[in-house]
Amino acid sequence: MASLAFRQSRSMLLPALKAPLSKPLLSAFFLSPTFLGGLFRIPSLASLLEELFPRILLAVPKKKTSHSRKAMRAANKGLQDKHNIVHCPGCGGPKLAHHLCPTCYTFLHRMWKSTSKDNHKLS
Amino acid sequence: MKHGVAFRKFSRSTSHRMLMLRNLVTSLFEHEQIKTTLPKARDTARLAEKIITLGKKGDRSAHARASAFLLKPEVLPKLFGTFASRYAERSGGYTRIHKFGNRPGDNAPVAILELVDNPKDLRWEITSRAIGREVLQEKLRAEKPLNLIKTGVHSTQNIIESEKKLEFGQNGLLRPKTRWNLQKMLRFRNQDAVSQLSRNVGNYIDHLMATPIAMKTLHDRERRKTAAGEFALRAGQTAPGDPRSVLDLSQGRLGIQRPRPTGPVLSASYIFGRKTKGR
């Protein structure tokens, strides 16, 4: 099992060495069994990389998104027009369909409030 | 999945939920008109109608169950007295829900829940206003606005009585929807409801006719002129007699520009001269 792990890590090291050597690869090399002379068994290169540098940390934007591209992405985020606007049959002003007219309700509410206030004062 | 589930949970425990609904029903009976969120209004309406049914029954067990449910003992005589007599002929449907937009804090859909035929019945008031406006529009076709203001409108009782008898599908003075609301309002009320309604309608017609005059007085007093010569109309609002659509008007310059109406309109510029010629 150990020899299998050794062989696996070695085969994985070769393609890595072909690419320009970066810091994680160097450190991985120093910690590999070939360098340490098989002193202790370490986990495979893949899991080591995963622990030190989780995949999500490797994704990074290459350039600042331009104003134009940002604006294009926001094209579908505009407010929707309301089409359910109708005339209030009472005051003629605009109101939402199937809803109370706010003008009419405000008028009536204030009228009731003043009446109840007058009654309160009288009593 | 939640197919066919009758009750809402309101993110509350059973005891909390029940107490909240009991509170809402008690408040509804106390004030006869409350404003709350739409789902709460719907659940409260359902419970309130069941309690009103208990009130109509009136026997000892109904008393016990209603007093166990409601949280204020002051509301019980109202339930077994006022509401029982008010809804004696009505079989069900003792509450009404009016949708009223969204709350500013959390954008929750809000509704006004009221008991039908209560002293502050919203549909009664709005129907009387609608009838007033439509009667005025009809009168404006025959007479000049100034003459109408001088003479006034007195035939409201006859109009209401004739519209009350019309069947569905027949043509009359009012819009079909307004006539339908009129008939619904008068169905379970007594005879002096017709005279009450005609008085309300007359008052509102007077209010409508007085508005341009009051606005002209204010305008003269403050000596301020708007660009179009009109005032006190909100975006999309029309004076009686104006046939333009609110969707076009409320968009202003961005909407379809329709020419001003040629017929009689109850607006200050029409009454006090300077009749526009398709500006």
Side-chain angles (χ1 to χ4, degrees), chain A residues 78-94:
Chain A
L79 289 173
Q80 299 284 318
D81 278 342
K82 275 207 198 296
H83 297 288
N84 56 341
I85 301 175
V86 293
H87 277 293
C88 169
C91 62

Side-chain angles (χ1 to χ4, degrees), chain B residues 173-190:
Chain B
L173 194 141
L174 301 174
R175 270 170 50 230
K177 189 80 186 181
T178 317
R179 192 182 316 126
W180 177 224
N181 280 327
L182 185 157
Q183 288 171 352
K184 276 203 277 194
M185 289 284 91
L186 295 172
R187 193 168 160 206
F188 289 105
R189 292 189 189 220
N190 48 16

Side-chain angles (χ1 to χ4, degrees), chain A residues 12-89:
Chain A
M12 286 190 77
L13 261 176
L14 280 171
L17 282 169
K18 279 183 195 160
L21 271 173
S22 54
K23 266 188 189 164
L25 286 169
L26 269 171
S27 55
F29 174 71
F30 284 129
L31 288 170
S32 72
T34 43
F35 182 71
L36 295 166
L39 282 174
F40 60 92
R41 283 175 186 79
I42 54 161
S44 72
L45 188 62
S47 58
L48 190 79
L49 273 175
E50 188 60 41
E51 263 181 55
L52 289 171
F53 299 96
R55 282 243 86 85
I56 193 125
L57 288 182
L58 300 173
V60 102
K62 197 70 181 175
K63 291 297 290 171
K64 173 180 172 181
T65 20
S66 63
H67 188 276
S68 149
R69 195 175 283 276
K70 177 178 70 175
M72 279 186 227
R73 196 169 53 230
N76 303 319
K77 293 184 184 174
L79 289 173
Q80 299 284 318
D81 278 342
K82 275 207 198 296
H83 297 288
N84 56 341
I85 301 175
V86 293
H87 277 293
C88 169

